[in-house]
Short mmCIF file of all heavy atoms in Angstrom, two decimals:
data_model
loop_
_atom_site.label_atom_id
_atom_site.label_comp_id
_atom_site.label_asym_id
_atom_site.label_seq_id
_atom_site.Cartn_x
_atom_site.Cartn_y
_atom_site.Cartn_z
N TYR A 1231 54.63 37.28 49.93
CA TYR A 1231 56.07 37.35 50.36
C TYR A 1231 56.36 36.39 51.47
O TYR A 1231 57.53 36.16 51.78
CB TYR A 1231 56.39 38.77 50.81
CG TYR A 1231 56.62 39.71 49.66
CD1 TYR A 1231 55.75 40.73 49.42
CD2 TYR A 1231 57.77 39.59 48.88
CE1 TYR A 1231 55.97 41.64 48.35
CE2 TYR A 1231 57.99 40.45 47.82
CZ TYR A 1231 57.12 41.47 47.57
OH TYR A 1231 57.37 42.35 46.55
N PHE A 1237 62.20 36.35 43.58
CA PHE A 1237 63.13 37.05 42.71
C PHE A 1237 63.72 36.14 41.63
O PHE A 1237 63.76 34.93 41.75
CB PHE A 1237 64.24 37.69 43.49
CG PHE A 1237 63.74 38.57 44.63
CD1 PHE A 1237 63.77 38.13 45.93
CD2 PHE A 1237 63.17 39.81 44.32
CE1 PHE A 1237 63.25 38.90 46.93
CE2 PHE A 1237 62.64 40.60 45.32
CZ PHE A 1237 62.70 40.16 46.62
N PHE A 1243 59.87 38.53 39.43
CA PHE A 1243 60.52 39.75 39.02
C PHE A 1243 61.98 39.78 39.39
O PHE A 1243 62.40 39.02 40.29
CB PHE A 1243 59.80 41.00 39.56
CG PHE A 1243 59.67 41.07 41.05
CD1 PHE A 1243 60.61 41.75 41.79
CD2 PHE A 1243 58.61 40.48 41.68
CE1 PHE A 1243 60.49 41.83 43.19
CE2 PHE A 1243 58.45 40.52 43.10
CZ PHE A 1243 59.40 41.23 43.87
N THR A 1245 65.17 42.44 40.56
CA THR A 1245 65.44 43.81 41.00
C THR A 1245 66.85 44.17 40.70
O THR A 1245 67.73 43.28 40.46
CB THR A 1245 65.20 43.92 42.51
OG1 THR A 1245 66.00 42.99 43.19
CG2 THR A 1245 63.73 43.65 42.89
N PRO A 1247 69.56 45.10 42.50
CA PRO A 1247 70.68 44.45 43.19
C PRO A 1247 70.89 43.00 42.72
O PRO A 1247 71.98 42.46 42.84
CB PRO A 1247 70.30 44.50 44.66
CG PRO A 1247 68.91 45.00 44.73
CD PRO A 1247 68.55 45.62 43.44
N GLU A 1278 67.47 49.04 56.31
CA GLU A 1278 66.92 48.77 54.98
C GLU A 1278 65.50 48.26 55.12
O GLU A 1278 65.16 47.39 55.93
CB GLU A 1278 67.78 47.70 54.21
CG GLU A 1278 67.23 47.56 52.78
CD GLU A 1278 68.02 46.72 51.86
OE1 GLU A 1278 69.05 46.11 52.31
OE2 GLU A 1278 67.62 46.57 50.69
N GLY A 1280 62.58 46.21 53.54
CA GLY A 1280 62.34 45.16 52.55
C GLY A 1280 63.60 44.73 51.82
O GLY A 1280 63.70 44.94 50.62
N PRO A 1281 64.58 44.10 52.54
CA PRO A 1281 65.86 43.77 51.89
C PRO A 1281 65.85 42.60 50.91
O PRO A 1281 66.92 42.27 50.39
CB PRO A 1281 66.77 43.45 53.08
CG PRO A 1281 66.03 43.88 54.31
CD PRO A 1281 64.58 43.79 53.96
N GLY A 1282 64.72 41.98 50.66
CA GLY A 1282 64.66 40.90 49.68
C GLY A 1282 65.56 39.74 50.03
O GLY A 1282 65.51 39.21 51.12
N ILE A 1309 64.15 45.73 58.13
CA ILE A 1309 62.68 45.71 58.28
C ILE A 1309 62.13 44.74 57.31
O ILE A 1309 62.16 44.99 56.04
CB ILE A 1309 62.06 47.13 58.04
CG1 ILE A 1309 62.85 48.25 58.76
CG2 ILE A 1309 60.62 47.16 58.34
CD1 ILE A 1309 62.87 48.15 60.23
N GLU A 1310 61.66 43.62 57.77
CA GLU A 1310 61.22 42.55 56.89
C GLU A 1310 60.14 41.71 57.59
O GLU A 1310 60.36 41.29 58.72
CB GLU A 1310 62.42 41.65 56.52
CG GLU A 1310 62.10 40.43 55.72
CD GLU A 1310 61.50 40.82 54.35
OE1 GLU A 1310 62.21 41.35 53.53
OE2 GLU A 1310 60.29 40.59 54.22
N THR A 1311 59.03 41.50 56.91
CA THR A 1311 57.99 40.65 57.54
C THR A 1311 58.06 39.21 57.12
O THR A 1311 57.48 38.37 57.80
CB THR A 1311 56.60 41.25 57.12
OG1 THR A 1311 56.64 41.65 55.77
CG2 THR A 1311 56.23 42.40 58.06
N SER A 1312 58.75 38.89 56.06
CA SER A 1312 58.73 37.51 55.53
C SER A 1312 59.79 36.65 56.20
O SER A 1312 60.96 36.90 56.13
CB SER A 1312 58.97 37.53 54.02
OG SER A 1312 59.41 36.28 53.59
N LEU A 1315 62.32 35.28 53.60
CA LEU A 1315 63.33 36.23 53.14
C LEU A 1315 64.25 36.64 54.30
O LEU A 1315 65.45 36.88 54.07
CB LEU A 1315 62.66 37.48 52.50
CG LEU A 1315 61.96 37.10 51.18
CD1 LEU A 1315 61.19 38.27 50.63
CD2 LEU A 1315 62.95 36.62 50.13
N ASP A 1334 59.58 44.07 62.27
CA ASP A 1334 58.42 44.00 61.39
C ASP A 1334 58.12 45.35 60.79
O ASP A 1334 57.53 45.44 59.70
CB ASP A 1334 57.21 43.51 62.15
CG ASP A 1334 57.25 41.99 62.32
OD1 ASP A 1334 57.92 41.32 61.51
OD2 ASP A 1334 56.67 41.50 63.29
N ASN A 1349 64.74 49.88 48.39
CA ASN A 1349 64.68 49.63 46.96
C ASN A 1349 63.51 48.72 46.62
O ASN A 1349 63.37 47.62 47.20
CB ASN A 1349 65.97 48.93 46.48
CG ASN A 1349 66.02 48.80 44.99
OD1 ASN A 1349 65.90 49.82 44.24
ND2 ASN A 1349 66.18 47.57 44.48
N GLU A 1350 62.64 49.18 45.80
CA GLU A 1350 61.42 48.44 45.40
C GLU A 1350 60.68 47.96 46.64
O GLU A 1350 60.21 46.82 46.69
CB GLU A 1350 61.78 47.26 44.47
CG GLU A 1350 62.22 47.72 43.11
CD GLU A 1350 61.90 46.74 42.02
OE1 GLU A 1350 60.83 46.17 42.00
OE2 GLU A 1350 62.80 46.51 41.16
N PHE A 1351 60.52 48.82 47.57
CA PHE A 1351 59.73 48.54 48.78
C PHE A 1351 58.41 49.23 48.75
O PHE A 1351 57.34 48.61 49.00
CB PHE A 1351 60.53 48.96 50.03
CG PHE A 1351 59.71 48.75 51.29
CD1 PHE A 1351 59.68 47.52 51.92
CD2 PHE A 1351 59.06 49.83 51.91
CE1 PHE A 1351 58.94 47.32 53.06
CE2 PHE A 1351 58.34 49.62 53.08
CZ PHE A 1351 58.29 48.40 53.66
N ALA A 1354 55.20 47.98 47.03
CA ALA A 1354 54.50 46.85 47.61
C ALA A 1354 53.53 47.27 48.71
O ALA A 1354 52.87 46.46 49.32
CB ALA A 1354 55.47 45.82 48.12
N LEU A 1355 53.47 48.58 49.01
CA LEU A 1355 52.62 49.04 50.08
C LEU A 1355 51.16 49.17 49.54
O LEU A 1355 50.98 49.57 48.43
CB LEU A 1355 53.14 50.33 50.68
CG LEU A 1355 54.48 50.22 51.39
CD1 LEU A 1355 54.91 51.59 51.96
CD2 LEU A 1355 54.46 49.18 52.47
N1 SAH B 395 64.81 45.48 48.22
C1 SAH B 395 64.82 44.15 47.64
C2 SAH B 395 63.42 43.49 47.61
C3 SAH B 395 62.24 44.21 47.06
S1 SAH B 395 60.75 43.29 47.16
C4 SAH B 395 65.45 44.18 46.28
O1 SAH B 395 65.68 45.21 45.73
O2 SAH B 395 65.74 43.10 45.74
C5 SAH B 395 60.00 43.85 48.60
C6 SAH B 395 60.57 43.43 49.89
O3 SAH B 395 59.82 44.04 50.94
C7 SAH B 395 60.53 41.95 50.25
O4 SAH B 395 61.69 41.70 51.05
C8 SAH B 395 59.24 41.84 51.09
O5 SAH B 395 59.20 40.70 51.87
C9 SAH B 395 59.29 43.12 51.89
N2 SAH B 395 58.02 43.66 52.31
C10 SAH B 395 56.91 43.86 51.59
N3 SAH B 395 55.93 44.48 52.27
C11 SAH B 395 56.45 44.68 53.51
C12 SAH B 395 55.95 45.27 54.70
N4 SAH B 395 54.73 45.78 54.72
N5 SAH B 395 56.74 45.29 55.77
C13 SAH B 395 58.01 44.83 55.75
N6 SAH B 395 58.53 44.21 54.62
C14 SAH B 395 57.77 44.15 53.52
#
Side-chain angles (χ1 to χ4, degrees):
Y1231 281 112
F1237 306 104
F1243 57 95
T1245 58
E1278 186 175 0
I1309 312 298
E1310 175 61 70
T1311 39
S1312 160
L1315 293 174
D1334 283 335
N1349 186 55
E1350 291 209 42
F1351 175 80
L1355 295 181

